[in-house]
């Protein structure tokens, strides 16, 4: 166990770029270029580690490509030439009174080049004002300093200013001003060591959405009204730049187009309307897909699929998919019809599913039919509800003798999705709650309710989304019946590649005669650090936790199972391919393996 934890910690340090930082913590960079005199560069007196790292990065002598200098005099001259840029770096962090001296040692190489920093006080942000240079009919709100990312009283950072300008322009562009600009004036008060920033917004002319001219691909059998339904505005509404991005995502998300570009002229008409032009490029409407998976708990697997994204010329989608491995064999078909009951924001979804499942907990064969109506109530928030019916046969259930079930249920869903990329999120969140009341026709006409809540958050910790922190929490309950009267395949289970890695699929619950029996409540948590160090390659380290509990209210005295491990990601156009090696931290002797290995497509969550 100690070796496992140590290995995980080491990879976490690597993912955070700590190997480089450890060298920089010493304030040291070495040059041994061929043909030049060896020298070592260090920073002393920097106010903090971040500033020290920035100075080393800015210094030409300590950079990634240091010059080859043949005499100590040239080393000193180049070091002195560094000073103006190093002072600019100090100013960018609010050290406007900073001074710097450079010292170069004499004698036997390597030479010691020491930049001695006298930072002085750090200037703090004392005031942020936002003015508007516009006519009296200006009709938009302005962001607050906090919304601009500028906190009064904090040490000043120069990069706040261009970022704030960008946010002012974005705020105005989302409120009817597509040609907004923003200028600024920064005043440093050397008496009080403070900064005073004044932004002046120039909104430009107010605009409303005009008509959208759709350039349909030649030969595409698709209704223009279907395309217009994906535009989240009506003519006459105030212009909103965010709506343009949402429209593009909506159109590309249909799978019918490989390209969607919205443009508009540089002037607003006398009627305040801004016409738009939408250019589309068709993607083949049919797709055949095939993939392979492998995990030590499910064995090798295959995934096959076929999809038609414009079945009847109105954007109807029909898909058929097959998943097969040593544990599960699932055949599923889904039909989605947009414009259901003449509503542009509403779809009908029909699903048929046949499954043969054989996890450790039970054996089951089922046929499931559902019909659901889905509607977007806000731009990123949808609700769904409908009717479902399941025929089910269950064998090898250690706590129930009932084998056959016929269940009617009413599936319900609400979800808000602000992720920037569904297959590989680098920001945003997914919040959802789904559930269904079940009524059993056979047996004793049992009635019960099952629901699950889910929250996923993603934070970018480096530029260009090179380092992502992803977190997840999931909770569910089944009130209304004893555990033995709930069909085995509807109970909650934890464990496996999409749950708690390091443990076998659906095994983290109470054991009866050595078999997991599932639960009436579930709690799962996960945290994953994803480092994309090359364009196509990345590493991850993760910690998963979870368990299914027998009672409706989790028993916190029971073991909560943790798993940890390492992973590799290969990024493709259709999403990342992942390989994870996971270790159980609460391994049960003679039941859990020492590790589990997973290969599949897509991030773990």
């Amino acid at each position: 166990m100690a070796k496992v934890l140590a290995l995980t910690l080491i990879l976490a340090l690597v993912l955070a770029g700590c190997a480089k930082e450890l060298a920089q913590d010493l304030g040291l960079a070495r040059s041994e270029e061929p043909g030049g005199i060896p020298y070592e560069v260090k920073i002393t007196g920097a106010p903090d580690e971040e500033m020290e790292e920035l100075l080393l990065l800015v210094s030409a002598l300590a950079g990634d490509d240091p010059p080859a200098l043949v005499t100590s005099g040239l080393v000193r001259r180049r070091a002195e030439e560094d000073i103006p840029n190093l002072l600019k770096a100090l100013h960018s962090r609010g050290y406007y009174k900073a001074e710097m001296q450079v010292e170069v040692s004499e004698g036997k190489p390597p030479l010691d080049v020491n930049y001695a920093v006298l930072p002085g006080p750090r200037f703090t942000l004392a005031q942020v004002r936002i003015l508007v240079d516009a006519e009296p009919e200006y009709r938009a709100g302005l962001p607050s300093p906090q919304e601009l990312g500028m906190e009064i009283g904090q040490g000043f950072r120069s990069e706040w200013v261009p970022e704030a300008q960008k946010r002012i322009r974005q705020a105005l562009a989302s409120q009817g001003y597509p040609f907004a600009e923003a200028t600024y004036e920064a005043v440093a008060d050397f008496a009080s060591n403070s900064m005073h920033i004044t932004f002046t917004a120039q909104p430009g002319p107010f605009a409303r959405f005009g008509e959208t001219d759709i350039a349909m691909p030649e030969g595409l059998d698709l209704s223009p009204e279907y395309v217009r339904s994906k535009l989240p505005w009506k003519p006459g509404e105030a212009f909103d730049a965010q709506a343009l991005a949402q429209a593009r995502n909506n159109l590309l998300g249909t799978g019918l187009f490989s390209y969607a570009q919205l443009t508009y002229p540089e002037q607003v008409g006398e009627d305040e309307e801004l016409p738009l032009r939408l250019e589309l490029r068709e993607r083949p409407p049919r797709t055949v897909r095939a993939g392979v998976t492998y995990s030590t708990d499910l064995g090798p697997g295959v995934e096959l699929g076929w999809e038609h994204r414009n079945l009847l010329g109105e954007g109807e989608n029909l898909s058929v998919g097959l998943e097969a491995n040593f544990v599960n064999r699932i055949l599923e078909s889904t039909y989605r019809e947009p414009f259901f009951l003449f509503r542009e924001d509403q779809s009908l979804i029909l699903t048929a599913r046949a499954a043969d499942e054989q996890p450790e907990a039970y054996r089951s064969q089922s046929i499931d039919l559902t019909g659901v109506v889905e509607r977007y109530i806000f731009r990123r928030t949808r609700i769904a509800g409908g009717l479902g019916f399941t025929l089910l046969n269950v064998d090898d259930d250690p706590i129930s003798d009932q084998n056959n079930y016929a269940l009617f249920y009413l599936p319900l869903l609400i979800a808000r999705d602000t992720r920037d990329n569904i297959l590989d999120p680098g920001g945003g969140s997914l919040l959802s709650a789904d559930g269904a009341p079940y009524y059993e026709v056979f047996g004793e006409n049992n009635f019960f309710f099952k629901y699950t809540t889910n929250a996923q958050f993603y934070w970018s910790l480096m530029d260009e989304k090179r380092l992502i922190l992803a977190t997840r929490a999931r909770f569910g309950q089944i009130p209304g019946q004893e555990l033995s009267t709930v069909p085995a395949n509807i109970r909650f289970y934890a464990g496996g590649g999409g749950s708690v890695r390091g443990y076998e699929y659906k095994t983290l619950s109470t054991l009866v005669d050595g078999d997991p029996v599932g639960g009436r409540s579930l709690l799962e948590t996960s945290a994953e650090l994803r480092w994309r160090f090359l364009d196509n390659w990345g590493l991850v380290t993760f910690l998963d936790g979870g368990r299914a509990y027998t009672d409706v209210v989790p028993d916190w005295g029971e073991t909560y199972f943790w798993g940890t491990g390492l992973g590799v990601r290969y990024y493709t156009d259709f999403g990342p391919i992942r390989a994870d090696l996971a270790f159980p931290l609460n391994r049960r002797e003679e039941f859990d393996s020492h590790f589990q290995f997973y290969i599949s497509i897509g991030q773990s969550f």
Side-chain angles (χ1 to χ4, degrees):
M1 183 63 68
K3 292 181 179 179
V4 172
L5 291 174
L7 184 60
T8 303
L9 179 59
I10 289 171
L11 184 67
L13 292 174
V14 172
L15 292 178
C18 290
K20 181 178 179 180
E21 293 178 7
L22 287 173
Q24 292 178 342
D25 285 345
L26 301 175
L28 186 66
R30 178 185 295 270
S31 174
E32 296 180 352
E33 288 291 308
I37 185 171
Y39 57 84
E40 295 178 348
V41 179
K42 63 181 179 180
I43 306 292
T44 59
D48 53 47
E49 291 182 3
E50 180 187 17
M51 193 71 248
E52 186 176 294
E53 294 168 13
L54 179 59
L55 292 173
L56 284 170
L57 183 65
V58 169
S59 169
L61 287 184
D64 293 334
D65 188 20
L69 304 171
V70 296
T71 69
S72 61
L74 289 176
V75 173
R76 176 180 293 279
R77 182 182 303 174
R78 183 57 65 90
E80 291 173 347
E81 291 174 355
D82 261 351
I83 290 180
N85 288 332
L86 296 176
L87 288 175
K88 287 180 182 179
L90 286 159
H91 295 168
S92 74
R93 293 295 185 268
Y95 296 98
Y96 289 97
K97 294 183 178 180
E99 298 179 7
M100 178 171 289
Q101 298 176 347
V102 62
E103 301 169 353
V104 179
S105 68
E106 299 291 344
K108 184 179 179 180
L111 303 182
D112 292 327
V113 180
N114 177 38
Y115 293 99
V117 182
L118 300 172
R122 186 176 188 183
F123 283 45
T124 58
L125 185 63
Q127 184 185 50
V128 177
R129 295 195 304 162
I130 307 174
L131 307 180
V132 180
D133 180 10
E135 298 296 328
E137 65 267 18
Y138 172 72
R139 33 190 141 167
L142 289 169
S144 66
Q146 291 76 20
E147 292 171 328
L148 296 180
M150 307 184 78
E151 293 290 338
I152 303 298
Q154 297 295 312
F156 181 71
R157 302 172 72 97
S158 62
E159 64 261 29
W160 288 349
V161 176
E163 180 62 25
Q165 287 180 281
K166 176 182 175 182
R167 294 185 182 187
I168 291 173
R169 292 194 299 267
Q170 290 175 337
L172 293 174
S174 66
Q175 300 178 77
Y177 295 91
F179 307 110
E181 294 293 339
T183 59
Y184 75 93
E185 181 182 37
V187 177
D189 186 341
F190 278 70
S192 61
N193 300 325
S194 62
M195 291 295 297
H196 301 254
I197 311 294
T198 300
F199 295 98
T200 301
Q202 295 96 21
F206 180 80
R208 300 181 185 277
F209 282 114
E211 293 295 332
T212 302
D213 176 28
I214 302 175
M216 294 285 286
E218 184 177 353
L220 176 61
D221 182 19
L222 183 66
S223 166
E225 291 307 312
Y226 172 76
V227 176
R228 294 187 189 279
S229 74
K230 300 301 179 181
L231 307 181
W233 66 79
K234 301 292 183 184
E237 293 181 356
F239 180 88
D240 183 352
Q242 294 182 358
L244 300 184
Q246 183 62 46
R248 184 176 182 275
N249 290 337
N250 291 347
L251 291 164
L252 296 179
T254 66
L256 295 172
F257 308 105
S258 61
Y259 176 85
Q261 184 65 42
L262 282 154
T263 58
Y264 50 84
E266 296 181 357
Q267 292 184 343
V268 179
E270 294 181 358
D271 54 1
E272 293 186 340
E273 289 194 350
L274 193 65
L276 291 91
R277 176 175 174 80
L278 173 60
E279 183 180 350
L280 299 168
R281 294 177 190 170
E282 184 181 7
R283 178 186 173 195
R286 299 174 184 82
T287 297
V288 176
R289 64 183 186 274
V292 294
T293 63
Y294 178 79
S295 63
T296 47
D297 55 351
L298 300 179
V302 62
E303 295 180 357
L304 303 174
W306 175 88
E307 182 180 22
H308 195 307
R309 292 176 293 276
N310 189 28
L311 189 65
L312 303 175
E314 292 284 348
E316 300 89 349
N317 183 293
L318 176 65
S319 63
V320 180
L322 171 67
E323 173 190 339
N325 52 51
F326 285 171
V327 175
N328 298 322
R329 287 156 291 280
I330 300 171
L331 177 64
E332 182 171 285
S333 178
T334 300
Y335 172 77
R336 176 185 288 267
E337 180 179 326
F339 295 111
F340 186 61
L341 297 181
F342 308 103
R343 288 189 63 105
E344 295 179 355
D345 59 352
Q346 188 165 270
S347 300
L348 172 67
I349 305 170
L350 304 176
T351 303
R353 182 178 186 268
D356 179 9
E357 301 173 89
Q358 300 182 17
E360 289 286 339
Y362 58 87
R363 306 288 184 271
S364 73
Q365 297 80 39
S366 63
I367 296 176
D368 190 83
L369 305 173
T370 60
V372 170
V373 176
E374 179 186 79
R375 179 187 298 180
Y376 277 84
I377 55 175
F378 300 110
R379 187 172 297 171
R380 292 177 175 267
T381 304
R382 60 190 173 96
I383 58 174
L387 177 65
F389 178 72
T390 293
L391 283 175
L392 174 65
N393 176 265
V394 178
D395 294 319
D396 298 337
D397 183 352
I399 62 172
S400 176
D401 295 329
Q402 185 170 347
N403 299 115
N404 298 311
Y405 300 85
L407 299 167
F408 282 104
Y409 62 100
L410 302 175
L412 305 169
L413 168 73
I414 181 169
R416 177 167 177 78
D417 190 351
T418 62
R419 293 174 295 176
D420 56 4
N421 186 314
I422 295 177
L423 293 178
D424 185 23
S429 63
L430 172 61
L431 305 174
S432 66
D434 65 89
Y438 287 81
Y439 179 76
E440 183 188 351
V441 179
F442 297 160
E444 300 179 357
N445 297 328
N446 290 328
F447 176 85
F448 61 92
F449 181 75
K450 177 181 180 180
Y451 77 89
T452 307
T453 59
N454 179 69
Q456 298 171 200
F457 297 93
Y458 305 88
W459 293 275
S460 178
L461 306 181
M462 292 177 61
D463 293 339
E464 300 180 353
K465 300 178 182 178
R466 290 289 182 179
L467 185 65
I468 303 296
L469 175 62
T471 61
R472 176 183 71 97
R474 184 169 177 245
F475 178 73
Q477 292 180 306
I478 306 177
Q481 290 292 336
E482 295 298 322
L483 184 64
S484 60
T485 61
V486 177
N489 70 332
I490 297 179
R491 300 170 196 157
F492 286 115
Y493 297 88
S499 175
V500 183
R501 286 163 285 186
Y503 300 88
E504 287 193 28
Y505 179 63
K506 290 188 175 183
T507 59
L508 299 184
S509 66
T510 300
L511 302 179
V512 174
D513 297 330
D515 293 322
V517 297
R520 290 190 295 160
S521 60
L522 171 76
L523 179 62
E524 291 180 346
T525 52
S526 293
E528 186 166 282
L529 194 63
R530 303 168 181 170
W531 181 37
R532 188 167 179 169
F533 61 91
L534 295 175
D535 288 342
N536 295 105
W537 288 96
L539 297 173
V540 304
T541 183
F542 55 84
L543 178 67
D544 297 336
R547 181 193 175 101
Y549 297 89
T550 303
D551 296 328
V552 174
V553 177
D555 183 353
W556 308 117
E558 295 184 321
T559 299
Y560 189 75
F561 294 93
W562 294 98
T564 188
L566 324 168
V568 177
R569 301 289 183 268
Y570 179 76
Y571 294 91
T572 69
D573 293 338
F574 55 84
I577 299 174
R578 69 182 177 107
D580 291 337
L581 179 64
F583 305 92
L585 299 182
N586 304 98
R587 181 173 172 266
R588 295 163 292 186
E589 295 290 339
E590 300 181 359
F591 190 87
D592 296 319
S593 301
H594 288 279
F595 67 90
Q596 295 287 340
F597 184 64
Y598 312 91
I599 298 178
S600 63
I601 297 175
Q603 296 286 11
S604 54
F605 61 89

